[in-house]
Amino acid sequence: MLARLKHKLASERGASLSMALMLFLVCSVVASIALTASTASVGRLSRLEDAEKSYYHVTSAASVVWDILQGDDPDAPGLPVEVEYGCEAQWQTGAWEPDDDTWTLSIDGKDVGDRAGKGATLFEIATCDLLFGTKSTLKDGLLIEADAAKNRFLEPDWAAEEPEPLEVTFSARPYDDPSDSVTMAPPGTMKAGYGFGEDDVVRVKVTRNEDRTFTFVFTDSSTDSTSPATYTLVASVDITEDPVEGADGVSDGEERELSWKTTVVWTPLSLSAGGIS
């Protein structure tokens, strides 16, 4: 009898121990699932926060450029870049003989000497490269001298009493050197709100296209960005040529100062997420 009682008690203790172990196992599995879900949720929230930060960083920079390209005149949208150039020339036996040492060039009302290097804006640099075939870099700024203006004329054109510059050719020109891109620092509000530093910049890659447009690709280059956002802005370029000044009614052997004006108007067309397709 005593032996059966001991056996029964031992069986009950074994069963209780098994139930306890089973309950512990179930609790461990549930806790593990909850911990995994919580960790995944935190990871997703962290990625969402990083994506949001990168999104606002890039769209802020792209919006600044878009607003610049809209210009200041609501009745005439677009950003104009005015280029004026000229030289002294003598009318001899039915053709002009330009003095190559007398070329002048001004960009937006300022002499090219004041615009050379980093004194020019991005749009002035791209405009001069387009008009005169120069190869400036965004890193070093405008690489041009006044006599580059004569690149718009060929020898036979001087036979006209009112010489006209050559038509602009829209050949593709990417400013694609890794160091040859524009960087835009975050505004003060974003530095305070998102903790951006001076090294957390948006990099802008510029490309001239054959269809009379330019593309600007904005990419977040923040040091802590794990999912950098990218946006692309497309702008059109329209060119207006004013006729030559100082050429009317010239007589043989007469010297004149000839001048031309070219206005290039930049207009934003589209802004979309992603890079160039």
Side-chain angles (χ1 to χ4, degrees), residues 129 135-138 171-178 180-181 205-210 214-215 276:
D129 284 352
K135 300 291 184 182
S136 301
T137 67
L138 303 181
S171 57
R173 163 76 199 281
Y175 293 83
D176 55 2
D177 186 284
D180 191 19
S181 58
K205 181 179 178 181
V206 183
T207 303
R208 183 176 74 210
N209 307 308
E210 295 180 355
F214 280 75
T215 53
I276 302 174

Side-chain angles (χ1 to χ4, degrees), residues 186-197:
T189 52
M190 295 196 72
K191 290 180 183 179
Y194 289 96
F196 281 109

